[in-house]
Amino acid sequence: IIRYCMKTIKVFLLLTVFIMAANSSGSIDRKALISRHNITSTKIDALSPLSVGNGRFVFTADITGLQTFPEAYKNGMPLTTMAQWGRHSFKNVEAYKESDIFVDVNTAGRKVPYQIVQNSDAASYFRANPHQTNLARIGFFLKKSDGSLASANDITNIHQQLDLWTGILTSSFELESKKINVKTFCHPDIDQISFEIESDLISENRLAVEIAFPYANGNWGKDPADWNSPDKHTTKLKKINKSSVDILHDMDSLIYNCEIRFSHAEIEETKKHHYLLTPVSNKWQCLIAFGKKIKEIDNFASAINKTVAHWKNFWLTGGAIDLSQSTDPRWQELERRIVISQYLTGIQSAQDYPPAETGLTTASWFGKFHLEMHWWHHVHFALWNRTKKFIPSLQWYKEILPQAQKTAKKQGYDGARWPKMTDPSGRNSPSSIGSLLIWQQPHPIYYAELLYLQNPSKQTLNQYNDLVFETAKFMASFPVWNENDKCFDLGPPLISAREHGTETFEQNKNPTFELAYWRWALLTANKWKQRLKLEPELKWENIADHLACWPTENNIYYIEQQFPIVDEGEHPCMLGAFGILPESPQLNKKTMEKTLSYVLTKWKWEDTWGWDFPMMAMTAARLGRGDLAIDSLLYDTPKNTYLLNGHNYQRENLPCYLPGNGGLLTAVAMMAAGWQNCPNNNAPGFPNDGRWNVKWENLNKMP
């Protein structure tokens, strides 16, 4: 009987493994999956221009395939050409000093300098510089039969499609019944935009292409271009002939080249910084490369072949999730968001630095990047087996490590204190909020651990141990011992991830999520010590084990210790303590489930942000509430809108928000592949109600 039972159990286990394998690998038609979400436009949609890019360079086009009608998109999403290196700074004519923007803040009886002075000219200068800029505008110069310029209203029979499988944007439209066909794409290895135009309008001398160079505006807003200051910058024709022209654009600290190659055209300078290329044949190809130094320009045939090969490899080698066999009617919209979010982060976020919130499409926060958001931008690359797109930005932390160590030392702490809003230099931008956030501090430990779990080798340990240990040193020196409560407090001063309490930062302390993250990171850093056969830091373990208790009220976790939830809005970040993070000894699952329910029923959704919804989904998944995970990802509210072009819309001056896209990809990867010590069934974070058939492959588990 025992032998029979054992055989039965073995057969059952083998059958279970077989079913899970069938559900999780090898059965997805990837081309069909991706192609059913190709983006098609038949009219001007100001919020949904389509972009092509390579992760470090992005060209955003209107319905003509170029940037012909910028005014039609002015109140939506601007038409830009942006690169990760395209940062401009105004001259510091007033000789402002960074030392002018520090204020001493009382911290456990000592004075600690913070960059929280915001209402000063010096603070405004350092906050705005350097900033992203628009490299150029490339658009059609179209004439009607009477010789007047065509407007957007004159364009008819529009059909545009972005083929996600190939990365090629094809556009077809008519002007006075004359057809124009355009093919647009971005080289995967060079900051080069290529396009092919076919139209009888060329032989009628009614079609040309204009390339124009703006100055940088340096404002917070969407469009980083200033078209009204022609005397503040220069363009110089370096080389010109019938098939090429090289232009040098010089504006203050940013000097770059634009090299153009084409199949025969006439060129003229129509006004300052504006150049007109007039083709001489009805089928015309053009390649335009940008860079501080341009080593080469690829020819059209080679460029298009490399582009197609790049995107085929992108889609075939990363993870995949196929929901098409589901009966829940929401599957198609969720799958659309998943597929297009992969494309958008693929063209926007594979930079040498953490990307800005709006990538290389618009220039919110001056195009600077926020390190607390780096988690939401890039963790998904590791989970979707695209780790190579993550590693360069993690290497950048090593480059700015001396700057982070300098910051910690200036404030009287050990190790490295990472900035919040910054640029490639690693200097922190002055802010009444940013300088006081701390939840970005454990991130490098999380990233390193994520990479180690995928490649548990000595090489991984040696590559990132300096980031892990220097981060942990700061984290261990930051908490303050509370003799009355016999625990270590986080803060004051601080502002929690919710970003409320700016007036009370000198009293704020012990936010729930940060307490959980601090403990997890310090203990993980000691794991790295042990893996390297080093003595663990007893101090780190002692602090981790004696951090203040997670604050609760009415069996609900709230943001931080002394401030209960009273005006439910902004980020419900206490959910991240069991969602972003795995289970902690302090966790009470019933309390966390009640907290999630409270958020879903009481929160002010108009004040939330795009990454809040994936965070709620991850918490729901870990709690075994796959139904609430789906509800969270598809919650019907403006801040959770995903436009036709796939961008996560937030508000009028923030029409795209990549932390939402990246967070979505992180959440669904976790829901499909699971997390460490999760239930042993396929797609443990999805509802188990028979309506969701989840096929997935090549995804990694979350910690």
Side-chain angles (χ1 to χ4, degrees):
I1 293 173
I2 293 173
R3 208 172 281 164
Y4 175 82
C5 291
M6 291 300 293
K7 284 184 178 180
T8 303
I9 291 171
K10 285 182 180 179
V11 170
F12 175 78
L13 290 174
L14 286 171
L15 184 60
T16 301
V17 170
F18 174 80
I19 292 171
M20 287 182 65
N23 283 331
S24 65
S25 62
S27 56
I28 296 177
D29 182 341
R30 294 206 178 196
K31 187 172 183 180
L33 164 65
I34 304 309
S35 298
R36 63 174 165 258
H37 300 291
N38 287 341
I39 307 170
T40 301
S41 296
T42 57
K43 62 180 180 180
I44 291 176
D45 182 343
L47 282 172
S48 284
L50 301 178
S51 301
V52 293
N54 59 23
R56 305 164 305 281
F57 171 83
V58 173
F59 178 83
T60 299
D62 64 16
I63 45 85
T64 68
L66 297 181
Q67 299 165 333
T68 308
F69 302 114
E71 288 299 315
Y73 294 79
K74 185 176 181 180
N75 294 324
M77 201 173 294
L79 308 178
T80 57
T81 307
M82 296 173 67
Q84 66 172 5
W85 50 263
R87 298 177 187 275
H88 168 268
S89 290
F90 295 117
K91 294 178 181 178
N92 187 1
V93 294
E94 300 294 335
Y96 297 123
K97 299 177 183 177
E98 288 193 75
S99 58
D100 297 337
I101 57 177
F102 282 89
V103 171
D104 286 337
V105 178
N106 181 53
T107 304
R110 64 187 184 90
K111 293 181 178 180
V112 175
Y114 282 87
Q115 294 160 295
I116 58 174
V117 176
Q118 203 166 12
N119 296 320
S120 74
D121 291 339
S124 296
Y125 177 83
F126 287 112
R127 186 168 170 80
N129 291 286
H131 43 260
Q132 279 280 357
T133 188
N134 187 0
L135 301 178
R137 184 172 70 213
I138 306 165
F140 283 111
F141 191 83
L142 298 170
K143 291 181 182 178
K144 296 195 289 186
S145 55
D146 62 5
S148 63
L149 287 180
S151 69
N153 293 331
D154 296 315
I155 302 303
T156 59
N157 291 333
I158 297 165
H159 187 271
Q160 183 178 60
Q161 185 173 81
L162 177 59
D163 186 331
L164 298 171
W165 186 257
T166 64
I168 295 174
L169 177 65
T170 56
S171 310
S172 174
F173 58 97
E174 292 183 5
L175 173 62
E176 296 178 326
S177 300
K178 295 284 186 175
K179 196 168 188 177
I180 301 101
N181 292 317
V182 186
K183 190 178 292 183
T184 313
F185 56 94
C186 177
H187 197 289
D189 306 314
I190 307 169
D191 294 347
Q192 172 183 310
I193 189 71
S194 307
F195 51 92
E196 180 180 76
I197 305 164
E198 190 170 6
S199 177
D200 291 341
L201 288 176
I202 295 176
S203 59
E204 296 178 16
N205 200 29
R206 294 170 55 191
L207 182 153
V209 172
E210 181 187 60
I211 180 166
F213 298 87
Y215 190 57
N217 69 22
N219 294 328
W220 192 99
K222 296 183 295 187
D223 191 343
D226 174 4
W227 295 99
N228 300 310
S229 302
D231 297 329
K232 291 183 179 180
H233 58 124
T234 62
T235 51
K236 179 182 178 181
L237 288 174
K238 295 166 53 184
K239 173 185 172 184
I240 180 170
N241 58 45
K242 294 294 184 182
S243 61
S244 69
V245 58
D246 294 351
I247 301 171
L248 182 70
H249 189 211
D250 184 339
M251 52 177 178
D252 306 318
S253 61
L254 180 60
I255 302 171
Y256 59 93
N257 295 283
C258 173
E259 297 187 4
I260 310 172
R261 304 291 181 264
F262 41 81
S263 51
H264 197 78
E266 303 294 332
I267 184 167
E268 64 174 313
E269 184 175 3
T270 56
K271 61 179 178 178
K272 211 168 187 179
H273 314 299
H274 291 249
Y275 302 90
L276 200 64
L277 294 167
T278 303
V280 297
S281 60
N282 285 355
K283 189 174 184 179
W284 189 69
Q285 296 172 346
C286 185
L287 308 99
I288 305 178
F290 298 87
K292 293 183 178 181
K293 289 183 180 179
I294 301 174
K295 294 182 180 179
E296 61 177 332
I297 291 184
D298 217 344
N299 64 60
F300 191 88
S302 175
I304 197 168
N305 288 337
K306 288 177 181 177
T307 300
V308 172
H310 165 81
W311 284 105
K312 182 178 180 180
N313 180 69
F314 177 87
W315 294 116
L316 288 177
T317 57
I321 297 177
D322 183 339
L323 303 175
S324 61
Q325 299 303 307
S326 302
T327 58
D328 189 306
R330 297 172 294 176
W331 77 264
Q332 191 162 14
E333 173 58 16
L334 181 56
E335 190 184 88
R336 180 187 80 90
R337 295 184 184 192
I338 293 169
V339 169
I340 302 179
S341 290
Q342 290 177 76
Y343 176 79
L344 290 176
T345 55
I347 68 170
Q348 305 267 358
S349 302
Q351 301 181 33
D352 294 332
Y353 320 110
E357 311 297 76
T358 49
L360 296 168
T361 298
T362 72
S364 56
W365 290 281
F366 312 100
K368 292 190 175 183
F369 39 89
H370 299 177
L371 290 198
E372 85 281 17
M373 288 293 100
H374 189 201
W375 197 99
W376 298 100
H377 283 291
H378 271 177
V379 164
H380 71 90
F381 280 139
L383 300 183
W384 285 76
N385 268 304
R386 296 190 176 110
T387 308
K388 287 183 179 180
K389 296 184 181 301
F390 187 178
I391 288 175
S393 65
L394 190 52
Q395 288 295 115
W396 170 81
Y397 281 85
K398 296 170 78 71
E399 294 177 18
I400 70 160
L401 179 57
Q403 177 69 34
Q405 291 170 321
K406 182 180 176 181
T407 298
K409 186 176 181 180
K410 182 181 180 70
Q411 295 184 326
Y413 297 113
D414 299 329
R417 183 168 193 169
W418 304 107
K420 191 273 190 194
M421 174 178 163
T422 187
D423 57 75
S425 72
R427 293 190 297 268
N428 201 42
S429 298
S431 168
S432 61
I433 295 176
S435 298
L436 293 155
L437 294 180
I438 64 168
W439 68 291
Q440 75 272 27
Q441 300 306 325
H443 282 354
I445 297 177
Y446 192 99
Y447 306 149
E449 180 70 3
L450 199 59
L451 297 185
Y452 178 80
L453 292 175
Q454 294 181 23
N455 181 22
S457 67
K458 192 170 182 180
Q459 179 185 2
T460 304
L461 294 171
N462 289 335
Q463 190 169 3
Y464 300 113
N465 71 77
D466 53 349
L467 295 184
V468 170
F469 297 151
E470 288 302 299
T471 297
K473 286 177 185 177
F474 167 76
M475 293 179 62
S477 66
F478 183 79
V480 177
W481 178 252
N482 183 328
E483 182 61 31
N484 291 332
D485 296 336
K486 304 298 181 186
C487 68
F488 286 98
D489 289 333
L490 290 183
L494 61 75
I495 293 176
S496 75
R498 189 187 184 192
E499 298 195 6
H500 274 207
T502 55
E503 299 83 9
T504 57
F505 67 85
E506 292 182 286
Q507 291 83 47
N508 300 347
K509 67 177 182 179
N510 294 331
T512 299
F513 171 67
E514 285 83 339
L515 285 168
Y517 207 1
W518 230 254
R519 181 183 188 279
W520 180 90
L522 287 173
L523 293 180
T524 301
N526 255 345
K527 282 185 184 178
W528 277 59
K529 288 276 188 180
Q530 294 167 348
R531 291 165 182 164
L532 286 164
K533 308 281 193 259
L534 300 173
E535 286 294 321
E537 291 284 347
L538 297 180
K539 179 182 177 181
W540 298 355
E541 187 172 343
N542 181 56
I543 291 171
D545 289 341
H546 292 88
L547 284 167
C549 295
W550 297 3
T552 60
E553 182 175 280
N554 298 324
N555 293 320
I556 293 174
Y557 291 118
Y558 56 87
I559 303 295
E560 54 195 299
Q561 183 170 311
Q562 71 275 38
F563 296 111
I565 300 171
V566 291
D567 57 343
E568 304 85 356
E570 293 290 344
H571 310 295
C573 48
M574 61 283 193
L575 297 177
F578 188 54
I580 294 173
L581 300 172
E583 188 169 348
S584 167
Q586 287 202 13
L587 172 73
N588 182 302
K589 289 186 178 180
K590 289 184 178 179
T591 301
M592 185 58 77
E593 187 162 3
K594 188 175 179 182
T595 305
L596 176 62
S597 177
Y598 181 90
V599 169
L600 289 170
T601 55
K602 300 286 188 180
W603 217 249
K604 293 181 179 177
W605 300 111
E606 64 272 17
D607 293 336
T608 52
W609 293 75
W611 58 269
D612 293 327
F613 302 94
M615 180 175 63
M616 291 189 294
M618 289 188 286
T619 301
R622 288 193 194 263
L623 289 169
R625 294 298 306 273
D627 56 330
L628 296 183
I630 293 293
D631 290 346
S632 297
L633 289 179
L634 296 172
Y635 204 95
D636 186 13
T637 188
K639 292 292 187 72
N640 199 35
T641 297
Y642 283 72
L643 302 168
L644 175 68
N645 60 10
H647 276 298
N648 178 207
Y649 178 88
Q650 299 297 288
R651 62 190 188 216
E652 189 277 331
N653 67 345
L654 199 60
C656 62
Y657 188 66
L658 287 169
N661 299 95
L664 171 79
L665 293 175
T666 298
V668 294
M670 172 193 179
M671 292 163 62
W675 52 95
Q676 289 181 329
N677 302 316
C678 67
N680 191 25
N681 57 278
N682 183 58
F686 277 81
N688 188 22
D689 60 4
R691 298 194 302 164
W692 289 90
N693 185 325
V694 183
K695 296 179 182 178
W696 63 271
E697 57 193 25
N698 206 24
L699 298 172
N700 292 312
K701 283 187 176 183
M702 200 167 173

